[in-house]
């Protein structure tokens, strides 16, 4: 398994164990405060690119409709495409 290659007792081992047990991990001091502020500033510019999530209502793929039902699915989706990458500057934080 992928986690068997992780040295025992390291932070990576603890992260792997948490991911396996819970599906997520909390990493203290993963980013600096400065990096968090940079990320927040960058994602603020993407607000208008998110689409409200929809659910499919119908018996099959030929007959039905996409509907926004916030009580069922209230999240939003950011669809990344090659067109968006060309139009916007997506760079890693320094």
């Amino acid at each position: 398994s992928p986690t068997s290659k992780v040295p025992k007792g390291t932070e990576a081992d603890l992260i792997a164990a948490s991911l396996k047990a819970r599906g997520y991990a909390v990493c203290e001091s993963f980013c600096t405060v400065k990096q968090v502020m940079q990320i927040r500033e960058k994602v603020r510019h993407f607000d208008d690119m998110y689409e409200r999530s929809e659910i499919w209502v119908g018996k099959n793929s030929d007959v039905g409709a996409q509907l926004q039902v916030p009580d069922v699915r209230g999240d939003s989706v950011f669809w990344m495409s090659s067109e968006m990458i060309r139009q916007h500057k997506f760079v890693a934080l320094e």
Side-chain angles (χ1 to χ4, degrees):
S1 78
T3 58
S4 64
K5 295 179 183 177
V6 177
K8 298 292 179 197
T10 65
E11 187 173 356
D13 189 46
L14 297 173
I15 292 169
S18 179
L19 288 170
K20 184 176 181 182
R22 292 184 285 254
Y24 68 92
V26 176
C27 304
E28 297 294 330
S29 302
F30 181 75
C31 294
T32 65
V33 172
K34 181 181 176 183
Q35 289 171 320
V36 171
M37 298 307 290
Q38 288 175 324
I39 292 167
R40 288 180 73 182
E41 183 59 33
K42 286 186 180 293
V43 298
R44 207 177 312 240
H45 299 289
F46 300 133
D47 284 348
D48 60 337
M49 296 180 191
Y50 282 83
E51 296 178 15
R52 303 261 324 152
S53 294
E54 298 176 331
I55 61 169
W56 178 259
V57 178
K59 289 191 174 193
N60 57 44
S61 61
D62 295 336
V63 180
Q66 291 283 104
L67 302 174
Q68 290 181 1
V69 184
D71 290 342
V72 175
R73 187 169 177 195
D75 61 320
S76 296
V77 177
F78 179 77
W79 296 104
M80 179 68 76
S81 67
S82 56
E83 177 72 20
M84 286 182 134
I85 293 169
R86 283 193 299 274
Q87 289 178 1
H88 302 280
K89 192 174 184 181
F90 292 95
V91 295
L93 294 173
E94 298 176 5

Coordinates of all heavy atoms in Angstrom, one line a residue:
S1 N 0.8 -1.2 0.0 CA 0.0 0.0 0.0 C 0.9 1.2 0.0 O 2.0 1.2 0.5 CB -0.9 0.0 1.2 OG -0.2 0.4 2.4
P2 N 0.4 2.4 -0.5 CA 1.2 3.6 -0.5 C 1.6 4.1 0.8 O 2.7 4.6 1.0 CB 0.2 4.6 -1.1 CG -0.9 3.9 -1.8 CD -0.9 2.6 -1.1
T3 N 0.8 3.8 1.9 CA 1.2 4.3 3.2 C 2.4 3.4 3.8 O 3.0 3.9 4.7 CB 0.1 4.3 4.2 OG1 -0.5 3.0 4.3 CG2 -1.0 5.3 3.8
S4 N 2.6 2.2 3.3 CA 3.6 1.4 3.8 C 5.0 1.9 3.5 O 6.0 1.6 4.1 CB 3.5 -0.1 3.3 OG 3.7 -0.1 1.9
K5 N 5.1 2.8 2.5 CA 6.4 3.4 2.1 C 6.7 4.6 3.0 O 7.8 5.2 2.9 CB 6.4 3.8 0.6 CG 6.2 2.6 -0.3 CD 6.2 3.1 -1.7 CE 6.0 1.9 -2.7 NZ 5.9 2.3 -4.1
V6 N 5.8 5.1 3.8 CA 6.0 6.3 4.6 C 6.7 5.8 5.9 O 6.3 4.9 6.6 CB 4.6 6.9 5.0 CG1 4.8 8.1 5.9 CG2 3.9 7.3 3.7
P7 N 7.8 6.5 6.2 CA 8.6 6.2 7.4 C 7.7 6.3 8.7 O 6.9 7.2 8.8 CB 9.7 7.2 7.5 CG 9.8 7.7 6.1 CD 8.4 7.6 5.5
K8 N 7.8 5.3 9.6 CA 6.9 5.3 10.8 C 7.4 6.5 11.7 O 8.6 6.8 11.8 CB 7.1 4.0 11.5 CG 6.6 2.8 10.7 CD 5.1 2.9 10.6 CE 4.5 1.7 9.7 NZ 3.2 2.0 9.2
G9 N 6.4 7.1 12.3 CA 6.7 8.1 13.3 C 6.9 9.5 12.7 O 7.2 10.4 13.5
T10 N 6.9 9.7 11.5 CA 7.1 11.0 10.9 C 5.7 11.7 10.7 O 4.7 11.1 10.8 CB 7.7 10.9 9.5 OG1 6.8 10.3 8.6 CG2 9.1 10.2 9.5
E11 N 5.8 13.0 10.5 CA 4.6 13.7 10.2 C 3.8 13.2 9.0 O 2.6 13.1 9.0 CB 4.9 15.2 10.0 CG 3.6 16.1 10.0 CD 3.9 17.6 9.9 OE1 5.1 18.0 10.1 OE2 2.9 18.3 9.8
A12 N 4.6 12.8 8.0 CA 3.9 12.2 6.8 C 3.2 10.9 7.2 O 2.1 10.6 6.6 CB 5.0 11.9 5.7
D13 N 3.7 10.1 8.1 CA 3.1 8.9 8.6 C 1.8 9.2 9.3 O 0.7 8.6 9.0 CB 4.0 8.1 9.5 CG 3.5 6.8 9.8 OD1 3.0 6.1 8.9 OD2 3.5 6.4 11.0
L14 N 1.8 10.3 10.1 CA 0.6 10.7 10.8 C -0.5 11.2 9.8 O -1.7 10.9 10.0 CB 0.9 11.7 11.8 CG 1.9 11.3 12.9 CD1 2.3 12.5 13.8 CD2 1.2 10.2 13.8
I15 N -0.1 11.9 8.8 CA -1.0 12.4 7.8 C -1.6 11.3 7.0 O -2.8 11.2 6.8 CB -0.3 13.4 6.9 CG1 0.1 14.7 7.6 CG2 -1.2 13.7 5.6 CD1 1.0 15.6 6.9
A16 N -0.8 10.3 6.6 CA -1.3 9.2 5.9 C -2.3 8.4 6.7 O -3.3 7.9 6.2 CB -0.1 8.3 5.5
A17 N -2.0 8.2 8.0 CA -2.9 7.4 8.9 C -4.2 8.2 9.0 O -5.3 7.6 9.0 CB -2.2 7.2 10.3
S18 N -4.2 9.5 9.2 CA -5.4 10.3 9.3 C -6.2 10.2 8.0 O -7.4 10.1 8.1 CB -5.0 11.7 9.6 OG -6.2 12.5 9.7
L19 N -5.6 10.3 6.9 CA -6.3 10.2 5.6 C -7.0 8.9 5.4 O -8.1 8.8 5.0 CB -5.3 10.5 4.4 CG -4.8 11.9 4.2 CD1 -3.7 11.9 3.2 CD2 -6.0 12.8 3.8
K20 N -6.3 7.8 5.8 CA -6.8 6.5 5.7 C -8.0 6.3 6.7 O -9.0 5.8 6.3 CB -5.7 5.4 6.1 CG -6.2 4.0 5.9 CD -5.1 3.0 6.1 CE -5.6 1.6 5.9 NZ -4.6 0.6 6.1
A21 N -7.9 6.8 7.9 CA -8.9 6.6 8.9 C -10.1 7.6 8.7 O -11.3 7.1 8.9 CB -8.3 6.9 10.3
R22 N -9.9 8.8 8.4 CA -11.0 9.8 8.3 C -11.2 10.4 6.9 O -12.2 11.0 6.7 CB -10.6 10.9 9.3 CG -10.7 10.5 10.7 CD -10.5 11.8 11.6 NE -9.1 12.1 11.6 CZ -8.2 11.9 12.6 NH1 -8.6 11.4 13.6 NH2 -7.0 12.3 12.5
G23 N -10.3 10.2 6.0 CA -10.5 10.8 4.7 C -10.0 12.3 4.6 O -10.1 12.9 3.6
Y24 N -9.4 12.8 5.7 CA -8.8 14.1 5.7 C -7.7 14.2 6.8 O -7.6 13.3 7.6 CB -9.9 15.2 6.0 CG -10.4 15.2 7.4 CD1 -9.8 15.9 8.4 CD2 -11.5 14.4 7.7 CE1 -10.4 15.9 9.7 CE2 -12.1 14.4 9.0 CZ -11.5 15.1 10.0 OH -12.0 15.1 11.2
A25 N -6.9 15.2 6.7 CA -5.8 15.4 7.7 C -5.7 16.8 8.0 O -5.9 17.7 7.1 CB -4.5 14.8 7.2
V26 N -5.4 17.1 9.2 CA -5.1 18.5 9.7 C -3.6 18.6 9.8 O -2.9 17.9 10.5 CB -5.8 18.8 11.0 CG1 -5.4 20.2 11.5 CG2 -7.3 18.6 10.9
C27 N -3.0 19.6 9.1 CA -1.6 19.8 9.1 C -1.3 21.2 9.7 O -1.5 22.2 9.1 CB -1.0 19.8 7.7 SG -1.4 18.3 6.8
E28 N -0.8 21.1 11.0 CA -0.5 22.4 11.7 C 0.7 23.1 10.9 O 1.6 22.4 10.5 CB -0.1 22.1 13.1 CG -1.2 21.5 13.9 CD -2.4 22.5 14.2 OE1 -2.1 23.7 14.2 OE2 -3.5 22.0 14.3
S29 N 0.6 24.4 10.8 CA 1.6 25.2 10.2 C 2.0 24.8 8.8 O 3.1 24.9 8.3 CB 2.9 25.2 11.1 OG 2.6 25.6 12.4
F30 N 1.0 24.3 8.0 CA 1.2 23.9 6.6 C 1.6 25.1 5.8 O 2.4 25.0 4.9 CB -0.1 23.2 6.1 CG 0.1 22.7 4.7 CD1 0.8 21.6 4.4 CD2 -0.5 23.4 3.7 CE1 0.9 21.1 3.1 CE2 -0.4 22.9 2.4 CZ 0.3 21.8 2.1
C31 N 0.9 26.2 6.0 CA 1.2 27.5 5.3 C 1.5 28.6 6.3 O 1.0 28.5 7.4 CB -0.1 27.9 4.5 SG -0.5 26.8 3.2
T32 N 2.2 29.5 5.8 CA 2.5 30.7 6.7 C 1.3 31.6 6.6 O 0.5 31.5 5.7 CB 3.7 31.4 6.2 OG1 3.5 32.0 4.9 CG2 5.0 30.5 6.2
V33 N 1.2 32.5 7.5 CA 0.1 33.5 7.5 C 0.2 34.3 6.2 O -0.8 34.6 5.5 CB 0.2 34.5 8.7 CG1 -0.8 35.6 8.6 CG2 -0.1 33.7 10.0
K34 N 1.4 34.7 5.7 CA 1.6 35.4 4.5 C 1.0 34.6 3.3 O 0.3 35.1 2.4 CB 3.0 35.7 4.2 CG 3.3 36.5 3.0 CD 4.8 36.8 2.8 CE 5.0 37.5 1.5 NZ 6.4 37.7 1.2
Q35 N 1.3 33.3 3.2 CA 0.8 32.4 2.2 C -0.7 32.4 2.2 O -1.4 32.4 1.1 CB 1.4 31.0 2.2 CG 2.8 31.0 1.9 CD 3.4 29.6 2.2 OE1 3.2 29.0 3.2 NE2 4.3 29.2 1.3
V36 N -1.3 32.2 3.4 CA -2.8 32.2 3.5 C -3.4 33.5 3.0 O -4.4 33.5 2.2 CB -3.2 32.0 5.0 CG1 -4.7 32.1 5.1 CG2 -2.8 30.6 5.4
M37 N -2.8 34.6 3.3 CA -3.3 35.9 2.8 C -3.2 36.0 1.3 O -4.1 36.5 0.6 CB -2.6 37.1 3.5 CG -2.8 37.1 5.0 SD -4.5 37.1 5.6 CE -5.0 38.7 5.1
Q38 N -2.1 35.5 0.7 CA -1.9 35.5 -0.7 C -3.0 34.6 -1.4 O -3.5 35.0 -2.4 CB -0.5 35.0 -1.1 CG 0.6 36.0 -0.8 CD 2.0 35.4 -1.0 OE1 2.2 34.2 -0.8 NE2 2.9 36.2 -1.5
I39 N -3.2 33.5 -0.8 CA -4.2 32.6 -1.4 C -5.6 33.2 -1.3 O -6.4 33.2 -2.3 CB -4.3 31.2 -0.6 CG1 -3.0 30.5 -0.9 CG2 -5.5 30.4 -1.0 CD1 -2.7 29.3 0.0
R40 N -6.0 33.8 -0.2 CA -7.3 34.5 0.0 C -7.4 35.6 -1.1 O -8.5 35.8 -1.7 CB -7.4 35.1 1.4 CG -7.6 34.0 2.4 CD -7.7 34.6 3.8 NE -9.1 35.2 3.9 CZ -9.5 35.8 4.9 NH1 -8.7 35.9 6.0 NH2 -10.7 36.4 5.0
E41 N -6.4 36.4 -1.3 CA -6.4 37.4 -2.3 C -6.7 36.9 -3.7 O -7.4 37.4 -4.5 CB -5.2 38.3 -2.2 CG -5.2 39.5 -3.2 CD -6.4 40.4 -2.9 OE1 -6.8 40.6 -1.8 OE2 -6.8 41.0 -3.9
K42 N -6.0 35.8 -4.1 CA -6.1 35.2 -5.4 C -7.5 34.6 -5.6 O -8.1 34.9 -6.7 CB -5.0 34.2 -5.6 CG -3.7 34.8 -5.9 CD -2.7 33.7 -6.2 CE -1.3 34.3 -6.5 NZ -1.2 35.2 -7.6
V43 N -8.0 33.9 -4.7 CA -9.3 33.2 -4.9 C -10.5 34.2 -4.9 O -11.5 34.0 -5.5 CB -9.6 32.1 -3.9 CG1 -8.5 31.0 -4.0 CG2 -9.7 32.6 -2.5
R44 N -10.3 35.4 -4.3 CA -11.3 36.4 -4.3 C -11.6 36.8 -5.7 O -12.8 37.2 -6.1 CB -10.8 37.6 -3.5 CG -11.8 38.5 -2.9 CD -11.2 39.6 -2.1 NE -10.1 39.1 -1.2 CZ -10.1 39.2 0.1 NH1 -11.1 39.8 0.7 NH2 -9.2 38.7 0.8
H45 N -10.7 36.8 -6.6 CA -10.9 37.2 -8.0 C -11.6 36.1 -8.8 O -12.0 36.3 -10.0 CB -9.5 37.4 -8.7 CG -8.8 38.5 -8.1 ND1 -9.1 39.9 -8.2 CD2 -7.7 38.5 -7.3 CE1 -8.3 40.6 -7.5 NE2 -7.4 39.8 -7.0
F46 N -11.8 34.9 -8.3 CA -12.5 33.8 -9.0 C -14.0 33.7 -8.6 O -14.7 32.8 -9.1 CB -11.8 32.5 -8.7 CG -10.4 32.5 -9.2 CD1 -9.4 32.0 -8.3 CD2 -10.0 32.9 -10.4 CE1 -8.1 31.9 -8.7 CE2 -8.7 32.9 -10.8 CZ -7.7 32.4 -10.0
D47 N -14.5 34.5 -7.7 CA -15.9 34.4 -7.2 C -16.9 34.3 -8.4 O -17.8 33.5 -8.3 CB -16.2 35.6 -6.3 CG -15.6 35.5 -4.9 OD1 -15.1 34.4 -4.6 OD2 -15.7 36.5 -4.2
D48 N -16.7 35.1 -9.4 CA -17.7 35.1 -10.5 C -17.6 33.9 -11.4 O -18.4 33.7 -12.3 CB -17.6 36.4 -11.3 CG -16.3 36.7 -11.9 OD1 -15.3 36.1 -11.4 OD2 -16.2 37.4 -12.9
M49 N -16.5 33.1 -11.2 CA -16.3 31.9 -12.1 C -17.0 30.7 -11.5 O -17.0 29.7 -12.2 CB -14.8 31.7 -12.3 CG -14.2 32.8 -13.0 SD -12.4 32.4 -13.2 CE -11.8 34.0 -13.8
Y50 N -17.4 30.7 -10.3 CA -18.1 29.6 -9.7 C -19.5 29.4 -10.2 O -20.2 30.4 -10.4 CB -18.1 29.7 -8.2 CG -16.8 29.4 -7.5 CD1 -15.8 30.3 -7.4 CD2 -16.6 28.1 -7.0 CE1 -14.6 30.0 -6.8 CE2 -15.4 27.8 -6.4 CZ -14.4 28.8 -6.3 OH -13.2 28.5 -5.7
E51 N -19.9 28.2 -10.4 CA -21.3 28.0 -10.9 C -22.1 27.2 -9.7 O -21.5 26.3 -9.1 CB -21.3 27.1 -12.1 CG -20.6 27.7 -13.3 CD -20.6 26.7 -14.5 OE1 -21.3 25.7 -14.5 OE2 -19.9 27.0 -15.4
R52 N -23.3 27.6 -9.5 CA -24.1 26.9 -8.5 C -24.3 25.5 -9.0 O -24.5 25.2 -10.2 CB -25.5 27.6 -8.4 CG -25.4 29.0 -8.0 CD -25.7 29.4 -6.6 NE -26.6 28.5 -5.9 CZ -26.6 28.3 -4.6 NH1 -25.7 28.8 -3.9 NH2 -27.5 27.6 -4.1
S53 N -24.1 24.6 -8.1 CA -24.3 23.1 -8.4 C -25.7 22.8 -8.8 O -26.6 23.4 -8.3 CB -23.8 22.3 -7.3 OG -22.4 22.5 -7.1
E54 N -25.9 21.8 -9.6 CA -27.2 21.4 -10.1 C -27.3 19.9 -9.9 O -26.3 19.2 -9.8 CB -27.4 21.7 -11.5 CG -27.3 23.2 -11.8 CD -27.4 23.5 -13.3 OE1 -27.0 22.7 -14.1 OE2 -28.0 24.6 -13.6
I55 N -28.5 19.4 -9.8 CA -28.8 18.0 -9.8 C -29.6 17.6 -11.0 O -30.3 18.4 -11.6 CB -29.6 17.5 -8.5 CG1 -30.9 18.2 -8.4 CG2 -28.7 17.8 -7.3 CD1 -31.8 17.7 -7.4
W56 N -29.4 16.4 -11.5 CA -30.2 15.8 -12.6 C -31.4 15.2 -12.1 O -31.4 14.4 -11.2 CB -29.3 14.8 -13.4 CG -30.0 14.2 -14.5 CD1 -30.6 13.0 -14.6 CD2 -30.3 14.8 -15.8 NE1 -31.2 12.8 -15.8 CE2 -31.0 13.9 -16.6 CE3 -29.9 16.0 -16.4 CZ2 -31.4 14.2 -17.9 CZ3 -30.3 16.3 -17.7 CH2 -31.0 15.4 -18.4
V57 N -32.6 15.6 -12.7 CA -33.9 15.0 -12.4 C -34.4 14.4 -13.6 O -34.7 15.1 -14.6 CB -34.8 16.1 -11.8 CG1 -36.2 15.5 -11.5 CG2 -34.3 16.8 -10.6
G58 N -34.5 13.1 -13.6 CA -35.0 12.4 -14.8 C -34.8 10.9 -14.7 O -34.0 10.5 -13.8
K59 N -35.4 10.1 -15.6 CA -35.3 8.7 -15.5 C -34.0 8.2 -16.2 O -33.5 7.2 -15.9 CB -36.5 8.0 -16.1 CG -37.7 8.1 -15.3 CD -38.8 7.3 -15.8 CE -40.0 7.3 -14.8 NZ -41.0 6.3 -15.0
N60 N -33.6 8.9 -17.2 CA -32.4 8.5 -17.9 C -31.7 9.8 -18.5 O -32.1 10.9 -18.2 CB -32.7 7.5 -19.0 CG -33.7 8.1 -20.0 OD1 -33.6 9.2 -20.4 ND2 -34.6 7.2 -20.4
S61 N -30.6 9.6 -19.2 CA -29.8 10.7 -19.7 C -30.5 11.5 -20.8 O -30.1 12.6 -21.2 CB -28.4 10.3 -20.1 OG -28.5 9.4 -21.1
D62 N -31.5 10.9 -21.4 CA -32.2 11.5 -22.6 C -33.4 12.4 -22.1 O -33.6 13.4 -22.8 CB -32.8 10.4 -23.5 CG -31.7 9.6 -24.1 OD1 -30.6 10.1 -24.2 OD2 -32.0 8.5 -24.5
V63 N -34.0 12.1 -21.0 CA -35.2 12.9 -20.6 C -35.0 13.3 -19.1 O -34.8 12.5 -18.3 CB -36.5 12.0 -20.7 CG1 -37.7 12.8 -20.2 CG2 -36.7 11.5 -22.1
G64 N -34.9 14.6 -18.9 CA -34.7 15.2 -17.6 C -34.3 16.6 -17.7 O -34.4 17.2 -18.7
A65 N -33.9 17.1 -16.5 CA -33.5 18.5 -16.5 C -32.4 18.7 -15.3 O -32.4 18.0 -14.4 CB -34.7 19.4 -16.2
Q66 N -31.6 19.7 -15.5 CA -30.6 20.1 -14.5 C -31.3 21.2 -13.7 O -31.8 22.1 -14.2 CB -29.4 20.7 -15.1 CG -28.5 19.7 -15.9 CD -27.7 18.8 -14.9 OE1 -28.0 17.7 -14.7 NE2 -26.7 19.4 -14.4
L67 N -31.4 21.0 -12.4 CA -32.0 21.9 -11.5 C -31.1 22.3 -10.4 O -30.3 21.5 -9.9 CB -33.3 21.3 -10.9 CG -34.4 20.8 -11.9 CD1 -35.5 20.1 -11.1 CD2 -34.9 22.0 -12.7
Q68 N -31.3 23.6 -9.9 CA -30.6 24.0 -8.7 C -31.5 23.8 -7.6 O -32.6 24.4 -7.5 CB -30.2 25.5 -8.8 CG -29.1 25.8 -9.9 CD -28.8 27.3 -9.9 OE1 -29.3 28.1 -9.2 NE2 -27.8 27.6 -10.8
V69 N -31.1 23.0 -6.6 CA -31.9 22.7 -5.4 C -31.0 22.8 -4.2 O -30.3 21.8 -3.8 CB -32.5 21.2 -5.5 CG1 -33.4 21.0 -4.3 CG2 -33.2 21.0 -6.8
P70 N -30.9 24.0 -3.7 CA -29.9 24.3 -2.6 C -30.1 23.4 -1.4 O -29.1 23.1 -0.7 CB -30.2 25.7 -2.2 CG -30.8 26.3 -3.5 CD -31.6 25.2 -4.1
D71 N -31.3 22.9 -1.1 CA -31.5 22.0 0.0 C -30.9 20.7 -0.2 O -30.5 20.0 0.8 CB -33.0 21.8 0.3 CG -33.7 23.1 0.9 OD1 -32.9 24.0 1.4 OD2 -34.9 23.2 0.9
V72 N -30.7 20.3 -1.5 CA -30.1 19.0 -1.8 C -28.6 19.2 -2.0 O -27.8 18.4 -1.5 CB -30.8 18.4 -3.0 CG1 -30.0 17.1 -3.5 CG2 -32.2 18.1 -2.8
R73 N -28.3 20.2 -2.8 CA -26.8 20.4 -3.1 C -26.6 22.0 -3.1 O -27.0 22.6 -4.1 CB -26.5 19.8 -4.4 CG -25.0 19.9 -4.7 CD -24.5 19.0 -5.8 NE -23.1 19.3 -6.0 CZ -22.4 18.9 -7.0 NH1 -23.0 18.2 -8.0 NH2 -21.2 19.2 -7.1
G74 N -26.1 22.5 -2.1 CA -25.9 24.0 -2.0 C -24.5 24.5 -2.3 O -24.2 25.6 -2.0
D75 N -23.6 23.6 -2.8 CA -22.3 24.0 -3.1 C -22.2 24.7 -4.4 O -23.1 24.8 -5.2 CB -21.3 22.9 -3.0 CG -21.6 21.8 -4.0 OD1 -22.8 21.5 -4.2 OD2 -20.7 21.2 -4.6
S76 N -21.0 25.2 -4.7 CA -20.7 25.8 -6.0 C -19.4 25.1 -6.6 O -18.7 24.5 -5.8 CB -20.4 27.3 -5.9 OG -21.5 28.0 -5.4
V77 N -19.3 25.1 -7.9 CA -18.2 24.4 -8.6 C -17.4 25.4 -9.4 O -17.9 26.2 -10.1 CB -18.8 23.3 -9.5 CG1 -17.7 22.6 -10.2 CG2 -19.6 22.3 -8.7
F78 N -16.1 25.2 -9.3 CA -15.2 26.0 -10.1 C -14.6 25.1 -11.2 O -13.8 24.2 -10.9 CB -14.1 26.6 -9.3 CG -13.1 27.4 -10.0 CD1 -13.4 28.7 -10.4 CD2 -11.8 26.9 -10.4 CE1 -12.5 29.5 -11.1 CE2 -10.9 27.7 -11.1 CZ -11.2 28.9 -11.5
W79 N -15.0 25.2 -12.4 CA -14.6 24.3 -13.5 C -13.3 24.9 -14.1 O -13.3 26.0 -14.7 CB -15.7 24.2 -14.6 CG -16.9 23.5 -14.0 CD1 -18.1 24.1 -13.7 CD2 -17.1 22.1 -13.8 NE1 -19.0 23.2 -13.3 CE2 -18.4 22.0 -13.3 CE3 -16.3 21.0 -13.9 CZ2 -18.9 20.7 -12.9 CZ3 -16.8 19.8 -13.5 CH2 -18.1 19.6 -13.1
M80 N -12.2 24.2 -14.0 CA -11.0 24.6 -14.6 C -10.8 24.0 -16.0 O -11.0 22.8 -16.1 CB -9.8 24.1 -13.7 CG -8.5 24.5 -14.2 SD -8.1 26.3 -14.1 CE -7.8 26.4 -12.4
S81 N -10.6 24.9 -16.9 CA -10.4 24.4 -18.3 C -9.2 25.0 -18.9 O -8.6 26.0 -18.3 CB -11.6 24.9 -19.2 OG -11.7 26.3 -19.3
S82 N -8.7 24.5 -20.0 CA -7.5 25.0 -20.6 C -7.7 26.5 -21.1 O -6.8 27.3 -21.1 CB -7.1 24.1 -21.8 OG -8.1 24.0 -22.7
E83 N -8.9 26.8 -21.5 CA -9.3 28.2 -21.8 C -9.1 29.1 -20.7 O -8.5 30.2 -20.8 CB -10.7 28.2 -22.3 CG -11.2 29.6 -22.7 CD -10.6 30.1 -24.0 OE1 -10.2 29.4 -24.8 OE2 -10.6 31.4 -24.1
M84 N -9.5 28.7 -19.5 CA -9.3 29.5 -18.3 C -7.9 29.7 -18.0 O -7.4 30.8 -17.6 CB -10.0 28.9 -17.1 CG -11.5 29.1 -17.1 SD -12.2 28.4 -15.6 CE -13.3 29.6 -15.2
I85 N -7.1 28.7 -18.1 CA -5.7 28.7 -17.9 C -5.0 29.7 -18.8 O -4.2 30.5 -18.4 CB -5.0 27.3 -18.0 CG1 -5.6 26.4 -16.8 CG2 -3.5 27.4 -17.9 CD1 -5.2 25.0 -17.0
R86 N -5.4 29.7 -20.1 CA -4.9 30.7 -21.0 C -5.3 32.1 -20.7 O -4.5 33.1 -20.9 CB -5.3 30.3 -22.4 CG -4.5 29.2 -23.0 CD -4.8 29.1 -24.5 NE -6.2 28.8 -24.9 CZ -6.8 27.6 -24.9 NH1 -6.1 26.5 -24.6 NH2 -8.0 27.5 -25.2
Q87 N -6.5 32.3 -20.2 CA -7.0 33.7 -19.9 C -6.5 34.3 -18.6 O -6.4 35.5 -18.5 CB -8.5 33.6 -19.9 CG -9.2 33.4 -21.2 CD -10.7 33.3 -21.1 OE1 -11.2 33.5 -20.0 NE2 -11.4 33.1 -22.2
H88 N -6.2 33.4 -17.7 CA -5.8 33.9 -16.4 C -4.4 33.4 -16.0 O -3.9 32.4 -16.5 CB -6.8 33.4 -15.3 CG -8.2 33.9 -15.6 ND1 -8.6 35.1 -15.3 CD2 -9.2 33.2 -16.2 CE1 -9.9 35.3 -15.7 NE2 -10.3 34.1 -16.3
K89 N -3.9 34.1 -15.1 CA -2.5 33.7 -14.6 C -2.6 32.8 -13.4 O -3.0 33.3 -12.3 CB -1.8 35.0 -14.2 CG -0.3 34.8 -14.0 CD 0.4 36.2 -13.8 CE 1.8 36.0 -13.7 NZ 2.5 37.2 -13.5
F90 N -2.4 31.5 -13.6 CA -2.5 30.6 -12.5 C -1.0 30.2 -12.2 O -0.4 29.5 -12.9 CB -3.3 29.3 -12.9 CG -4.7 29.6 -13.1 CD1 -5.2 29.9 -14.3 CD2 -5.5 29.5 -12.0 CE1 -6.6 30.1 -14.5 CE2 -6.9 29.8 -12.1 CZ -7.4 30.1 -13.4
V91 N -0.5 30.7 -11.1 CA 0.9 30.5 -10.7 C 0.9 30.0 -9.3 O 0.0 30.3 -8.5 CB 1.7 31.7 -10.8 CG1 1.9 32.2 -12.3 CG2 1.2 32.9 -10.0
A92 N 1.9 29.2 -9.0 CA 2.2 28.7 -7.6 C 2.6 29.9 -6.7 O 3.2 30.8 -7.2 CB 3.2 27.6 -7.6
L93 N 2.3 29.8 -5.5 CA 2.7 30.8 -4.5 C 4.2 30.7 -4.3 O 4.7 29.6 -4.2 CB 1.9 30.7 -3.2 CG 0.4 31.1 -3.3 CD1 -0.2 30.8 -2.0 CD2 0.2 32.5 -3.7
E94 N 4.9 31.8 -4.1 CA 6.3 31.7 -3.8 C 6.5 31.5 -2.3 O 5.7 31.8 -1.5 CB 7.0 33.0 -4.2 CG 6.8 33.3 -5.7 CD 7.4 34.6 -6.1 OE1 8.0 35.3 -5.2 OE2 7.3 35.0 -7.2

